[in-house]
Structures are given as C-alpha cells and as structure tokens.
C-alpha cells in the first residue's frame, strides 16, 4: 500500500532558534496523533538540518533536504552533495521545486542528473513539477506535466520508483493563496498515475505516492486529501506554523 505523506517545505525561513522552537511545538501538537501508514516530513534549510535531525530523534518527524547537487564533490561553490547529506543522516531530498526552476535555472537536464545521483545514493526523492498559469489557461497543462515527467524520470528503471515521491504543484497555486480545487487535483493526479501506468505498469503506478502542493491550508486540506489519487501534500507557508501544519497532518 502506498504511503500518505505530509511534507513541509520551510524554504529560506527560520534561524537555528526558530528551527528548534518550531520542532518543539510540532512535536507537542503531533504527540497524540495516530499516524498509521503516514510519513511526516520537514525540510529546513541546509544550515539547520543537523540540529533538526537531533531534535526529531525521538519522534515521527523526518528531516529532509530542499535541494542537492548532482556531482560527487568538487569546485561547485555554495553547493551540497549527496555524500554530505548522507553523512549527517539525511535520506530524502526535494528536487525540482518551481522556485528552484524559476530563480536558479534548474532545467529538465540538470534535474535528470540530480535525480540520478539521488537514486544512485539511495535517497528518496520528492520530485516537484507542475504547469504555469498560461499552460492551464491554454489547456496545455496535461501535456506540460507529461513532458516534465518523461524528460526527468522516464529513463529510470522501474525499481527506482520505490524511492520516488511525486509532488504535483501547479505553479499558479504556490504561495498565491489560489488552490487547485480538489477535483482539479484529483483529475491531474489520475492523469499522472495513468501516465506512469502506460510507461511502466499499473502495479508501479498504484505504488507511487502523489502529493499535491499549492496553498494547502487547514481549511482545505481535508477535502483535497479525500480524493483517491491524492496521497498527501507538500506544504509551504502553512508548514511554518505548528498549529497549521499539524492540523494539515491530522487531515490526512
Ligand atoms: C511549496 O512551496 O511547495 C508550496 C506548496 O507552497 P505554499 O503551500 O505556500 O503554496
């Protein structure tokens, strides 16, 4: 059975002290929550990863990275490798977030290298993709999503998909307060599953968790998560408040 996953992408937020405080509050909020078959994930900034790992040692929260370089090591100033992340106990990485594509020129080519490196180093990958507003308005959104998947993931062997988590994030819904409706999310998630099924097979397609991301909040999470092909969410803004994030976790 595929996993439910609620992942908080903290982006470039929270000092060391704020990281400790938010984890403490989250731990309190989630203490009594039954989380069968559910992963709860947070992605603090690189500098706070090690502290976050220490502070989550005795609870259900997993700490993951927001990005990673594809090279093993070398002259890549400011970058972080798979080996470095592994050495501090990080086993999962978010790749392809729309902000990284937009502001840091990540392309399908560089993301293919990153995903391949992550898989070769036994990471789980939360792979983000999704159409822009113009694509949806021109009704090209299914095509765009299919091309993003094909370009980056479809050379992977079937076996690699046990380490792939998909995060469909329509760019027009990220940080804008505009959410795709639950029906729009379900329609795209079903399309993604069918696309996986055609390329690989139905069993693989059924096994992959597909998260929705884009202005998920406590007041809309339950409806979005109730859809059969939505297996959880990637949460930005609302993951920075313990009460909001834990309410979203409880909605899964
Ligand atoms: C995100 O950054 O992945 C995201 C979904 O952000 P928000 O929830 O703030 O829209």
């Amino acid at each position: 059975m595929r996993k439910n996953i609620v992942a908080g992408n903290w982006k470039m937020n929270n000092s060391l002290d704020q990281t400790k405080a938010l984890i403490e509050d989250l731990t309190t909020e989630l203490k009594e929550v039954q989380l069968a078959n559910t992963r709860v994930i947070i992605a603090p900034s690189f500098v706070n990863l090690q502290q976050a790992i220490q502070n989550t040692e005795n609870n259900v929260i997993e700490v993951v990275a927001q990005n990673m370089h594809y090279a093993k090591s070398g002259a890549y100033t400011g970058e972080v490798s798979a080996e470095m992340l592994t050495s501090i106990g990080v086993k999962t990485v978010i790749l392809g977030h729309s902000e990284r594509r937009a502001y840091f020129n990540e392309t399908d080519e560089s993301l293919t290298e990153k995903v391949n490196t992550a898989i070769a180093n036994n990471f789980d990958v939360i792979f983000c993709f999704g159409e822009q507003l113009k694509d949806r308005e021109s009704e090209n959104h299914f095509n765009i999503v299919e091309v993003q998947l094909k370009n980056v993931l479809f050379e992977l062997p079937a076996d690699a998909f046990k380490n792939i988590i998909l995060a469909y994030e329509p760019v027009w819904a990220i940080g804008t307060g505009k959410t795709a409706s639950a029906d729009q999310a379900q329609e795209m998630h079903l399309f993604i599953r069918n696309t996986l099924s055609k390329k690989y097979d139905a069993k693989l397609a059924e096994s992959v968790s597909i998260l929705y991301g884009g202005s998920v909040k406590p007041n809309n999470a339950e409806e979005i998560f109730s859809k059969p092909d939505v297996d959880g969410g990637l949460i930005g803004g609302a993951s920075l408040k313990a009460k909001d994030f834990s309410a979203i976790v409880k909605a899964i």
Side-chain angles (χ1 to χ4, degrees):
M1 188 168 58
R2 61 181 182 258
K3 287 258 182 206
N4 293 321
I5 300 169
V6 181
N9 175 13
W10 289 8
K11 311 190 184 188
M12 197 173 72
N13 292 296
N14 291 331
S15 65
L16 182 62
D17 284 349
Q18 288 166 330
T19 297
K20 287 186 206 167
L22 182 48
I23 290 174
E24 205 177 304
D25 291 349
L26 266 179
T27 305
T28 308
E29 292 289 339
L30 294 175
K31 209 181 321 180
E32 308 295 327
V33 183
Q34 297 296 319
L35 288 169
N37 198 41
T38 299
R39 290 172 71 175
V40 179
I41 288 174
I42 57 170
S45 74
F46 283 131
V47 290
N48 293 322
L49 284 175
Q50 209 170 355
Q51 182 67 51
I53 287 169
Q54 268 179 35
N55 292 12
T56 52
E57 250 165 20
N58 299 316
N59 66 31
V60 294
I61 301 168
E62 287 176 52
V63 175
V64 316
Q66 297 176 18
N67 180 35
M68 193 190 82
H69 199 268
Y70 52 77
K72 193 172 160 49
S73 62
Y76 299 99
T77 302
E79 292 291 328
V80 170
S81 70
E83 203 170 299
M84 291 170 186
L85 292 172
T86 302
S87 73
I88 61 164
V90 172
K91 303 184 195 81
T92 301
V93 62
I94 299 172
L95 292 175
H97 193 278
S98 63
E99 287 152 17
R100 295 220 46 95
R101 293 177 192 253
Y103 308 140
F104 303 99
N105 303 320
E106 290 199 347
T107 60
D108 287 351
E109 289 70 33
S110 62
L111 285 168
T112 303
E113 295 200 66
K114 288 184 177 206
V115 169
N116 291 345
T117 295
I119 295 296
N121 284 275
N122 299 314
F123 275 69
D124 284 352
V125 174
I126 301 175
F127 179 69
C128 306
F129 56 99
E131 83 281 0
Q132 313 226 5
L133 186 58
K134 64 177 169 37
D135 305 319
R136 187 156 280 261
E137 284 175 345
S138 60
E139 296 185 4
N140 200 27
H141 46 299
F142 292 114
N143 184 42
I144 292 286
V145 159
E146 187 171 359
V147 168
Q148 286 175 326
L149 289 173
K150 278 188 177 162
N151 283 353
V152 180
L153 300 182
F154 282 8
E155 294 299 321
L156 289 171
D159 186 49
F161 276 82
K162 67 181 187 314
N163 297 105
I164 299 283
I165 298 155
L166 297 178
Y168 167 60
E169 299 207 300
V171 178
W172 49 271
I174 297 179
T176 58
K178 279 188 201 158
T179 320
S181 69
D183 286 340
Q184 283 173 319
Q186 168 58 23
E187 182 185 39
M188 182 58 89
H189 283 218
L190 181 60
F191 172 78
I192 293 163
R193 220 177 281 293
N194 287 339
T195 304
L196 281 175
S197 184
K198 269 188 238 153
K199 167 67 189 171
Y200 293 92
D201 59 54
K203 192 165 168 234
L204 181 145
E206 280 302 314
S207 72
V208 175
S209 299
I210 309 178
L211 315 186
Y212 169 78
S215 299
V216 176
K217 307 284 178 209
N219 64 2
N220 59 22
E222 198 170 332
E223 192 189 354
I224 294 170
F225 295 166
S226 72
K227 296 294 174 183
D229 288 289
V230 178
D231 305 309
L234 182 55
I235 320 297
S239 71
L240 298 172
K241 292 187 186 138
K243 281 215 181 311
D244 285 359
F245 189 62
S246 57
I248 293 169
V249 172
K250 287 173 199 167
I252 194 80

